[in-house]
Every structure is written in structure tokens, then in C-alpha cells.
């Protein structure tokens, strides 16, 4: 078992055994976050189910979802979230320049109305716990679809919660995974301590 996190990671075989009792795929059980979350299999199943819906069955554009996740990872200093979703986003062909631009998206000139709306909604939620009326109007203008708007709020809430879970439990990256690609630059809160 690992000693790098606040709660010891289950070994992979035990994590897979517990995951199987709750219908969690082996690929999830192998991740550090689930090797810790599976200490409470019901919670791990809830996390897995939400991820499954948002990642594989969602109606929100995958590129926009990944920009939200990357913004949360950057803004909260979640090394795990930023690093894992850097890889996910790149597999989805989200350009590297877009991922890097979420760090200071308001000054980026290549984001359109939809990107600006979801990133503003993300920042509002991180700062205030809710999306402001002004930002909601921008989201409504970008997505005249109630299902997308519900999922937008759920996605922000889900990865905001994951950031808190990852940071609070001090979940380590998987062996051999390098943090903060590609430049290694991290948010000031992470570089200088919190």
C-alpha cells in the first residue's frame, strides 16, 4: 500500500475486488483516486456512476467539458485533476494552446462565446458557489438546450468536488505520471505553498 496519501491506497487486486462488487470497471479501480475511494465502496460507486454519465453519455460538448475540468484543476491547484485531464483532453484532440489558455482565459483571444460562457460559469461557481445571472444569460445564449445547461452545472459541481476530494485526501498521481504537463508550470498556490 502507498503511504503518500492521507489514506493508504488499496493494492490493485483488492481495489478491483471491491470495485467488482459495485460494478466499477477495473480500469477505474486501478486509478489512485479509486484505490483510495474504494475504502468506502458505495461512495466510489457514486463517483464512478457520475463520471460514467458525464464522460461517456453526456450531452455537453467534450471539448467544453475538458476546458471546465482544466480550469478547475488549475484554479484549485489540483495536480491530479490537471494532469489526468491533460491526457484525456489531448486524446480528444483538444489543442494544447486551449488547455494552456484556461489558466488566464479572459485574456485569450481564441475562445468564442461558448468557451467564455462555460469558463465564466466555472469561475463563478468556484468563487461564489453559484453561477451569476449575467453568466447564466451568456450560457443560455450559447446553449439553448436545457439538458446541456443542467449537465454544465453538474459537470462543474462534479469536478469541483473531485478537486476537493483529490486535494483533501492528497491522492498521488499514478506511478510514472509526471505532473503539470507540458511546461511544468503550476499555479502560484501550488508553487509557493498554500
Amino acid at each position: 500500500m502507498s503511504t503518500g496519501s492521507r489514506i493508504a491506497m488499496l493494492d490493485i487486486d483488492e481495489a478491483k475486488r471491491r470495485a467488482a462488487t459495485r460494478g466499477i470497471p477495473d480500469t477505474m479501480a486501478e486509478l489512485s483516486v479509486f484505490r483510495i475511494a474504494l475504502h468506502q465502496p458505495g461512495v466510489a460507486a457514486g463517483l464512478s456512476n457520475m463520471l460514467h454519465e458525464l464522460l461517456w453519455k453526456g450531452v455537453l460538448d467534450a471539448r467544453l467539458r475538458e476546458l471546465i475540468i482544466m480550469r478547475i484543476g488549475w484554479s484549485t491547484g489540483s495536480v491530479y485533476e490537471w494532469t489526468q485531464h491533460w491526457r484525456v483532453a489531448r486524446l480528444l484532440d483538444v489543442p494544447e494552446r486551449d488547455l494552456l489558455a484556461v489558466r488566464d482565459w479572459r485574456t485569450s483571444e481564441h475562445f468564442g462565446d461558448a468557451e467564455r460562457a462555460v469558463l465564466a460559469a466555472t469561475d463563478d461557481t468556484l468563487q461564489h458557489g453559484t453561477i451569476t445571472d449575467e453568466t447564466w444569460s451568456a450560457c443560455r445564449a450559447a446553449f439553448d438546450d436545457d439538458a446541456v445547461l443542467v449537465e454544465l452545472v453538474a459537470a462543474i459541481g462534479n469536478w469541483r468536488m473531485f478537486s476537493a476530494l483529490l486535494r483533501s485526501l492528497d491522492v498521488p498521481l499514478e506511478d510514472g505520471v509526471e505532473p503539470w504537463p507540458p511546461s511544468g508550470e503550476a499555479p502560484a498556490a501550488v508553487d509557493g505553498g498554500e
Side-chain angles (χ1 to χ4, degrees), residues 69-139:
I69 297 167
M70 296 301 287
R71 179 64 182 167
I72 292 169
W74 181 260
S75 297
T76 64
S78 179
V79 174
Y80 191 98
E81 196 163 53
W82 174 274
T83 303
Q84 290 293 4
H85 280 274
W86 178 275
R87 296 187 309 174
V88 171
R90 292 300 294 133
L91 287 171
L92 292 169
D93 293 326
V94 179
E96 194 171 294
R97 75 176 189 146
D98 290 358
L99 300 178
L100 292 172
V102 301
R103 298 178 298 183
D104 188 19
W105 66 269
R106 292 182 192 278
T107 64
S108 176
E109 296 180 6
H110 68 271
F111 286 138
D113 292 342
E115 292 93 343
R116 292 186 172 287
V118 300
L119 291 167
T122 302
D123 283 0
D124 283 358
T125 303
L126 290 172
Q127 185 175 8
H128 309 293
T130 189
I131 298 170
T132 65
D133 289 341
E134 179 183 353
T135 301
W136 185 258
S137 293
C139 291

Side-chain angles (χ1 to χ4, degrees), residues 143-171:
F143 313 105
D144 193 20
D145 181 334
D146 289 345
V148 171
L149 292 167
V150 168
E151 188 170 316
L152 169 65
V153 174
I156 293 168
N158 179 73
W159 277 285
R160 180 181 180 212
M161 184 245 348
F162 259 95
S163 174
L165 180 137
L166 293 163
R167 291 178 306 119
S168 293
L169 295 175
D170 200 16
V171 175

Side-chain angles (χ1 to χ4, degrees), residues 28 34 47-55 158-159 162:
M28 297 295 260
F34 280 94
L47 296 171
S48 176
N49 289 340
M50 183 66 111
L51 286 175
H52 179 76
E53 289 298 319
L54 293 172
L55 290 171
N158 179 73
W159 277 285
F162 259 95

